[in-house]
Amino acid sequence: GAVVSQHPSRVICKSGTSVKIECRSLDFQATTMFWYRQFPKQSLMLMATSNEGSKATYEQGVEKDKFLINHASLTLSTLTVTSAHPEDSSFYICSAPRSGELFFGEGSRLTVL
Amino acid sequence: QKEVEQDPGPLSVPEGAIVSLNCTYSNSAFQYFMWYRQYSRKGPELLMYTYSSGNKEDGRFTAQVDKSSKYISLFIRDSQPSDSATYLCAMSVGGGSYIPTFGRGTSLIVHP
């Protein structure tokens, strides 16, 4: 069964609104989680590392004020896309390491109209 | 030059064929090598994980690492339509809570 759960799997929103995506580790604690973005036929691009109890670490070029990350507990990290624009439409995937292996969520398809 | 290069394909093969998927890399510090399978609109799942140069076999899948050439391969024997997916190579410098670098993925289509 899945070890990382991501919700929602698909979301459509209007331009200018904010969207929250949740990532949960199931049956294990994850002090670190990773958020990726994937465009069609492109690789997974790491956006940020979510750290429980502290600020997220963002990759170069990723706007931290636009992509808010909150790692509120040892099993939950959230990504909020603020003031979404059509160019933010993408596939967002979270992952969490467990016993040296990286487990991925099912991904969230965001479409901004 | 990207750290990890992978031909996006698509690669189309008949059922039963042997499939060869490859990646090259430039960072000699990479020590851990992984292959992930990603079905359409899903998150990636780990297929194979290797540390050293050489071959590792798991059922119909064989992962091969040649550190001297900075080249890794994934072979799929007796390919099935259910193998149709995108295969991403990934590699990292250290184990534990590592952050792998991914290739862009190769789209594989196995037709009946």
Side-chain angles (χ1 to χ4, degrees):
Chain A
V3 296
V4 176
S5 173
Q6 194 171 337
H7 177 80
S9 58
R10 303 180 78 176
V11 57
I12 300 172
C13 70
K14 292 182 179 180
S15 185
T17 61
S18 294
V19 173
K20 180 184 285 188
I21 301 170
E22 293 186 347
C23 181
R24 294 181 184 274
S25 58
L26 306 178
D27 300 324
F28 74 101
Q29 296 179 336
T31 57
T32 301
M33 291 185 180
F34 304 105
W35 286 97
Y36 291 85
R37 184 173 181 176
Q38 187 179 35
F39 291 105
K41 300 187 188 301
Q42 296 296 319
S43 183
L44 292 166
M45 298 302 299
L46 180 65
M47 298 175 65
T49 301
S50 174
N51 304 300
E52 190 271 334
S54 64
K55 292 183 179 180
T57 305
Y58 289 83
E59 295 299 302
Q60 190 174 9
V62 178
E63 298 176 61
K64 60 181 181 181
D65 294 329
K66 180 161 188 64
F67 299 100
L68 299 179
I69 291 173
N70 186 348
H71 200 135
S73 74
L74 287 170
T75 59
L76 173 64
S77 175
T78 61
L79 168 68
T80 301
V81 182
T82 63
S83 187
H85 290 283
E87 57 265 31
D88 298 324
S89 299
S90 189
F91 194 53
Y92 294 87
I93 311 175
C94 70
S95 69
R98 187 184 77 170
S99 302
E101 185 175 335
L102 199 59
F103 290 90
F104 286 85
E106 290 284 273
S108 299
R109 171 76 58 190
L110 171 64
T111 302
V112 185
L113 302 177
Chain B
Q1 181 190 11
K2 292 183 179 179
E3 274 196 302
V4 179
E5 297 278 1
Q6 185 176 11
D7 188 330
L11 177 62
S12 182
V13 300
E15 183 175 356
I18 296 174
V19 175
S20 174
L21 304 166
N22 312 293
C23 288
T24 59
Y25 62 96
S26 58
N27 187 350
S28 58
F30 286 140
Q31 298 293 327
Y32 295 83
F33 304 91
M34 296 140 282
W35 285 95
Y36 286 83
R37 178 175 61 196
Q38 185 178 21
Y39 290 112
S40 181
R41 300 190 178 90
K42 299 291 185 181
E45 56 176 331
L46 183 65
L47 268 182
M48 302 282 286
Y49 177 93
T50 56
Y51 171 68
S52 60
S53 285
N55 293 355
K56 182 177 181 180
E57 191 173 317
D58 184 1
R60 295 185 295 113
F61 299 90
T62 299
Q64 190 174 77
V65 174
D66 183 348
K67 287 187 180 178
S68 62
S69 301
K70 298 189 180 67
Y71 188 88
I72 69 170
S73 300
L74 177 70
F75 298 97
I76 307 175
R77 291 185 299 281
D78 188 25
S79 57
Q80 303 294 310
S82 58
D83 295 327
S84 299
T86 296
Y87 291 80
L88 299 104
C89 64
M91 42 202 82
S92 68
V93 298
S97 294
Y98 55 84
I99 302 176
T101 300
F102 286 86
R104 62 187 298 185
T106 298
S107 175
L108 172 65
I109 302 167
V110 182
H111 51 85

